[in-house]
Amino acid sequence: LVGSEMCIETALLPGLTDTKFASALTKNDAIMKQALMHIPMKRAAMPDEMAGTMLYLASEASSYTTGTCINVDGGYLLV
C-alpha cells in the first residue's frame, strides 16, 4: 500500500505478434515453421488482438484483478 492507494500489478504477456519489432522472426520462414508447431492457432497474432486485454486491464472491469499475468499467445502455453 502507498498511503491509502493500493498498487495494482498486472501484465499482458503477448505471444508471437506480427510487429515491426518481431519482423526478424515473423518474416523468416524457417523460424515461423518451427514457432507455429507450438502455437495451436497456427499463426502469429496481429497487434490489435492485444487491444481487448489492454482495454480490460485499463478499465474498471479489472478493478479486482491484481498480481497476475494474462497470456495472449494463441494457446502456446497449452502445448
Side-chain angles (χ1 to χ4, degrees), residues 1-15:
L1 294 177
V2 177
S4 63
E5 298 296 317
M6 187 172 101
C7 179
I8 304 293
E9 295 182 21
T10 57
L12 166 67
L13 303 179

Side-chain angles (χ1 to χ4, degrees), residues 1-45:
L1 294 177
V2 177
S4 63
E5 298 296 317
M6 187 172 101
C7 179
I8 304 293
E9 295 182 21
T10 57
L12 166 67
L13 303 179
L16 181 61
T17 305
D18 192 5
T19 63
K20 184 177 179 181
F21 181 76
S23 66
L25 304 174
T26 60
K27 304 300 183 220
N28 183 310
D29 291 336
I31 290 174
M32 283 300 291
K33 181 179 178 182
Q34 182 67 28
L36 296 181
M37 290 174 29
H38 302 283
I39 301 172
M41 294 191 78
K42 301 297 182 203
R43 63 180 180 83

Side-chain angles (χ1 to χ4, degrees), residues 43-55:
R43 63 180 180 83
M46 297 306 295
D48 62 344
E49 292 180 291
M50 303 300 142
T53 302
M54 293 305 297
L55 287 170

